[in-house]
């Protein structure tokens, strides 16, 4: 597993395997968020199997699939309250972790300075510099 901590609330990761869920729980995560659509590519573990493993290991499960490269304002509107209300720490995963990072960044822009968001993403290994216009747009939607 390639876990990339953004802050104390959220860590992101590329695709996890069903076998990883026990370790995720052992590491203290309380909520597991899947931002990858089921069957996005051949060979991807079925979300139902990951969900079953998450529940078996006492994790809260959130399935919020988002199309790669097409994160809408509606996706952010769903992610923002979910991440604020989720029992932390949260592990969110997708194919590479980028989608989760972008969702987090766009939702965080509503109440966090953009430079802080860029720094946290960069420290986790994600360059989201190209999001500046969307981050500014989300900052105007404070809430």
């Amino acid at each position: 597993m390639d876990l990339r901590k953004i802050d104390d609330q959220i860590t992101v990761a590329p695709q996890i395997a069903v076998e990883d869920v026990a370790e995720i729980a052992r590491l203290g995560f309380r909520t597991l968020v899947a931002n990858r659509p089921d069957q996005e590519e051949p060979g991807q573990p079925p979300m139902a199997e990951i969900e079953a493993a998450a529940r078996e290991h006492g994790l809260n499960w959130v399935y919020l699939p988002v199309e790669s490269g097409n994160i809408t304002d509606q996706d952010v509107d769903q992610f923002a309250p979910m991440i604020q209300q989720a029992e932390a720490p949260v592990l969110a995963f997708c194919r590479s972790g980028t989608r989760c990072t972008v969702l987090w960044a766009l939702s965080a822009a509503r109440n966090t300075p953009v430079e802080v968001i860029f720094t946290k993403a960069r420290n986790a290994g994600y360059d989201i510099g190209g999001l500046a216009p969307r981050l500014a747009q989300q900052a105007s939607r404070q809430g």
Side-chain angles (χ1 to χ4, degrees), residues 70-103:
N70 188 31
I71 295 174
T72 66
D73 285 345
Q74 182 180 356
D75 294 328
V76 179
D77 289 345
Q78 291 179 309
F79 187 87
M82 179 279 299
I83 199 68
Q84 290 171 356
Q85 297 165 12
E87 187 176 352
V90 172
L91 176 62
F93 71 92
C94 58
R95 187 187 62 75
S96 68
T98 301
R99 194 171 342 186
C100 302
T101 302
V102 170
L103 279 164

Side-chain angles (χ1 to χ4, degrees), residues 21-62:
V21 176
E23 178 69 2
I24 290 165
R26 191 193 69 72
L27 290 170
F29 289 98
R30 300 299 308 139
T31 302
L32 186 57
V33 178
N35 290 132
R36 190 171 192 199
D38 211 3
Q39 302 176 1
E40 185 175 56
E41 71 181 10
Q44 173 185 332
M47 291 300 163
E49 291 179 16
I50 297 174
E51 177 183 7
R55 294 191 188 286
E56 177 183 331
H57 291 283
L59 296 169
N60 298 305
W61 169 257
V62 177

Side-chain angles (χ1 to χ4, degrees), residues 4 10 33 35 70 81 100 106 115-117 123 130-131 139 141:
R4 299 178 183 206
I10 186 169
V33 178
N35 290 132
N70 188 31
C100 302
L106 292 171
E115 283 308 314
V116 172
I117 293 168
N123 289 344
L131 281 181
R141 299 181 68 194

